[in-house]
Amino acid sequence: MSVNIISETKREILEKAPPKNIRQHIWHKKTTEPGEIIAAYVSKHAEAKMRNHAMAFRSQKLEVMGLLLGEVRIWEGQEYVLVRDVVTTDLDATSVSVKFDSGSFQTLFENLDDAGFDYVVVGWYHSHPGYGCFLSKTDLRTHEGTFVSRHQVAIVIDPLNIQIEAFRVQEEKGRIVRFEVYWDEWDDPYGGLKKVKK
Ligand SMILES: [Zn+2]
């Protein structure tokens, strides 16, 4: 099976309504303001994988990290990302830093391969075990160096304080944005994505 990562700049943004069956994440502390834009819709499947990943390293207080896979959409003039799945690999982590382990990119690409979908990387997630949800100076550098589009999101999970937040980066600052967890495609193993032909 071929790896099929499409640079989102090469792909047309789909004009498509967001999922309707949504819920606010129970760990999401941000109070939503009326009329506020929802920057990301995260599938129940992707949400559980990220949260379980962070929780698995909670007692060792190690950071975790992965990529958000899905698509970029526009609806009523607002861009948002749909996160269908997440992928990760071996990590080189401490309680205050994380990066993909050198030499583990092959595993990451094999994991991407296993996803078997035609997708784009719409952002990344990582954890802050015990020190809250924000983007550090290093996080901002990582984000701006890797995720150049304005709609790409960074999700930060604190598995000790039981908190999750999504951020967009604007003018070198991380701004908390609203995100929702969606259920509609929960029963569809392909989530409406085009299966990549082998
Ligand atoms: Zn961080």
Side-chain angles (χ1 to χ4, degrees), residues 63 96 124 126-128 131 134-136 139 156:
E63 288 197 12
V96 292
W124 61 302
H126 75 290
S127 65
H128 284 176
Y131 56 101
F134 61 94
L135 292 182
S136 69
D139 295 338
V156 183

Side-chain angles (χ1 to χ4, degrees), residues 108-152:
L108 177 64
F109 282 105
E110 281 164 15
N111 292 347
L112 284 168
D113 216 0
D114 288 343
F117 303 128
D118 191 5
Y119 44 69
V120 295
V121 175
V122 295
W124 61 302
Y125 72 90
H126 75 290
S127 65
H128 284 176
Y131 56 101
C133 294
F134 61 94
L135 292 182
S136 69
K137 283 209 166 74
T138 308
D139 295 338
L140 287 167
R141 273 200 302 276
T142 301
H143 192 92
E144 296 202 306
T146 318
F147 307 98
V148 291
S149 300
R150 64 190 179 284
H151 49 255
Q152 283 173 319

Side-chain angles (χ1 to χ4, degrees), residues 146-166:
T146 318
F147 307 98
V148 291
S149 300
R150 64 190 179 284
H151 49 255
Q152 283 173 319
V153 295
I155 291 179
V156 183
I157 304 160
D158 184 339
L160 285 150
N161 291 312
I162 310 298
Q163 199 179 353
I164 187 167
E165 301 294 352

Side-chain angles (χ1 to χ4, degrees), residues 61-108:
K61 287 197 170 186
L62 290 177
E63 288 197 12
V64 301
M65 182 170 77
L67 299 174
L68 310 177
L69 307 178
E71 60 195 63
V72 183
R73 291 176 172 184
I74 189 162
W75 187 247
E76 295 177 341
Q78 300 295 344
E79 282 174 8
Y80 66 93
V81 296
L82 193 81
V83 180
R84 295 188 182 278
D85 204 353
V86 297
V87 70
T88 189
T89 185
D90 296 331
L91 300 169
D92 181 0
T94 70
S95 66
V96 292
S97 74
V98 65
K99 60 183 182 188
F100 289 127
D101 185 31
S102 58
S104 64
F105 279 99
Q106 191 54 41
T107 317
L108 177 64

